[in-house]
Amino acid sequence: MRSENIFALGLGLTPPWEVSKVEFVQEPDKSKTLHIYIDFRKGGEFVNDAGQNQKAYDTEDKTWRHLNFFQHECYLHCRVPRIIMSNGKYKMVEVPWDRPKSGFTLLFEAYMMMPVEGEIPVAAVSKTVKETAPRIWRIFRHWVSKSRAAIDLSAVRRIGVDETSSRKGHKYITQFVDLDTRRLIFEGRREGQGDI
């Protein structure tokens, strides 16, 4: 089996997506990075908003940061097609490995979220994954807001609020809890006086 096929299996690609090329690149600092090139099969079709199969009108080259391959940073590159929608306009196809406008694969976002959820400081995660703290915070805020939007609070009748100092000094944690189910609804952190 060719290495391209193994990487396609590892990425969970299904037709018309396929891995066209895999290469290690020697970087100026002597490190190596892994680059995986994904393409779609010639004549491949994609479903538009009306459920119709459409062939690519044109393509745009895009790159995403992916999970490291052992100690090597890994990047996915893809020729992403645009197809015609029911309103006659062209739209880029959503690829299964990314969240639009993120620049990271979903697996890499999940990898960055795990230590942050475990209360490891974002600065430490930033150093480990070699990405800026603001990019990590954007990912964290996106998934937290998506998670909050999915919470059904219609059955909540009584809420308890508690604020405590998390460390010496003026670092506070405020928790909102459903008193009937004892489920945490929201937790906010702040430093000093003022709103959460």
Side-chain angles (χ1 to χ4, degrees):
M1 182 177 270
R2 296 170 55 229
S3 63
E4 288 86 353
N5 295 338
I6 295 169
F7 279 106
L9 283 171
L11 291 168
L13 299 182
T14 56
W17 301 110
E18 61 186 9
V19 173
S20 60
K21 182 172 74 170
V22 177
E23 65 180 2
F24 274 103
V25 174
Q26 184 85 41
E27 300 296 337
D29 66 356
K30 305 290 185 204
S31 67
K32 286 188 175 180
T33 54
L34 176 66
H35 296 264
I36 302 172
Y37 293 85
I38 300 171
D39 206 343
F40 56 94
R41 294 181 181 157
K42 188 174 182 178
E45 295 184 332
F46 302 89
V47 180
N48 72 3
D49 61 329
Q52 303 165 327
N53 287 344
Q54 297 289 327
K55 291 192 178 185
Y57 170 74
D58 62 8
T59 62
E60 183 178 330
D61 291 331
K62 292 195 164 279
T63 301
W64 298 265
R65 171 91 188 266
H66 188 51
L67 292 174
N68 285 6
F69 184 74
F70 295 102
Q71 74 273 25
H72 308 292
E73 287 183 14
C74 180
Y75 297 89
L76 302 185
H77 305 270
C78 183
R79 200 171 59 101
V80 183
R82 285 194 318 150
I83 58 173
I84 193 164
M85 305 307 274
S86 60
N87 62 4
K89 294 185 178 180
Y90 292 92
K91 184 179 176 190
M92 190 148 307
V93 169
E94 289 186 15
V95 294
W97 56 85
D98 105 309
R99 177 172 60 82
K101 299 181 182 173
S102 160
F104 301 107
T105 64
L106 290 169
L107 284 173
F108 192 75
E109 287 194 0
Y111 174 72
M112 286 193 286
M113 287 285 293
M114 285 173 48
V116 175
E117 288 171 348
E119 299 189 13
I120 292 174
V122 169
V125 176
S126 172
K127 187 175 180 182
T128 302
V129 299
K130 298 178 184 172
E131 288 294 340
T132 65
R135 291 189 85 185
I136 295 169
W137 275 116
R138 274 194 296 275
I139 290 165
F140 187 74
R141 286 185 184 114
H142 167 80
W143 290 110
V144 167
S145 66
K146 188 170 178 125
S147 180
R148 277 189 195 150
I151 295 173
D152 179 12
L153 299 176
S154 61
V156 176
R157 298 293 175 249
R158 300 181 309 142
I159 294 175
V161 179
D162 185 31
E163 182 171 77
T164 185
S165 176
S166 65
R167 291 192 182 99
K168 287 184 180 179
H170 296 286
K171 295 185 180 184
Y172 299 94
I173 296 176
T174 305
Q175 295 181 327
F176 295 79
V177 178
D178 179 340
L179 292 176
D180 297 316
T181 65
R182 298 177 185 234
R183 180 177 58 127
L184 178 68
I185 296 172
F186 176 76
E187 181 176 273
R189 297 167 189 267
R190 68 180 174 88
E191 290 188 30
Q193 301 299 316
D195 295 333
I196 296 174

